[in-house]
Amino acid sequence: EISLGLVGSEMCIRDREDGTRIQPCPQALLDFADTHYPGAVIANFEIEDRQGVLYYEVEIFHVDERKELLFDANYTFLVCVAGIEEPEQLPEPVLQTLLALAPDTGAWDALSRYENYKGIVAAYVLKVEDRAAGRERLFKTDPAGNPIE
């Protein structure tokens, strides 16, 4: 298991067991966050291997909001994911579509918006816990509320 640690002013991942430095957050990712999210505080850095594909995740706090910046193995920005606390924060067409797709709001697990670094929303994503099937389901809409497959 790994967690965030600090080495001087450098963010890095440390092994919880012995504190050995494993991997610093690449400077290119720190520079991206500084350029596109001025004043943001970097809270966490993770390297994820998803079925053999390497991704970098940088969690930031920017303008009173937690965001996750996702990059590919070449440090190319892919998407910014921001959580949505309440369904009422969704645009009305998006809310109506998600209610039609997943009417049991008690099963709603998480709401997010996917945006580019300029803050332009590309999609809204609802994660629903399907207890009967023992898995999670994702429902996506575009900003106008049209379902995305």
Side-chain angles (χ1 to χ4, degrees):
E1 190 172 322
I2 55 177
S3 67
L4 180 72
L6 294 173
V7 178
S9 62
E10 182 178 83
M11 304 294 285
C12 74
I13 296 178
R14 291 187 171 274
D15 184 312
R16 284 192 181 162
E17 307 252 325
D18 65 7
T20 304
R21 179 176 159 174
I22 297 174
Q23 177 71 42
C25 182
Q27 188 62 46
L29 305 185
L30 297 173
D31 291 346
F32 183 93
D34 189 47
T35 299
H36 298 288
Y37 300 90
V41 174
I42 296 177
N44 197 8
F45 166 67
E46 294 178 7
I47 301 172
E48 287 199 14
D49 185 333
R50 297 180 188 171
Q51 301 174 352
V53 179
L54 190 67
Y55 293 95
Y56 295 96
E57 288 184 8
V58 179
E59 180 182 352
I60 64 170
F61 289 95
H62 183 252
V63 191
D64 297 328
E65 188 173 42
R66 185 182 78 72
K67 298 180 178 193
E68 289 183 8
L69 310 180
L70 184 65
F71 300 86
D72 69 11
N74 297 315
Y75 309 145
T76 302
F77 175 77
L78 300 174
V79 70
C80 171
V81 180
I84 297 173
E85 298 296 322
E86 300 294 331
E88 295 78 24
Q89 295 173 297
L90 293 167
E92 189 62 27
V94 171
L95 179 58
Q96 293 307 315
T97 299
L98 293 177
L99 284 169
L101 294 170
D104 179 11
T105 58
W108 287 21
D109 190 34
L111 283 167
S112 302
R113 71 175 187 271
Y114 286 43
E115 57 189 34
N116 68 12
Y117 63 84
K118 294 180 180 178
I120 298 172
V121 177
Y124 291 91
V125 179
L126 167 64
K127 184 168 61 171
V128 175
E129 186 177 338
D130 186 345
R131 292 177 184 95
R135 63 183 178 96
E136 294 176 344
R137 295 185 63 200
L138 294 179
F139 297 96
K140 302 174 188 174
T141 77
D142 67 15
N146 301 307
I148 299 171
E149 295 298 322

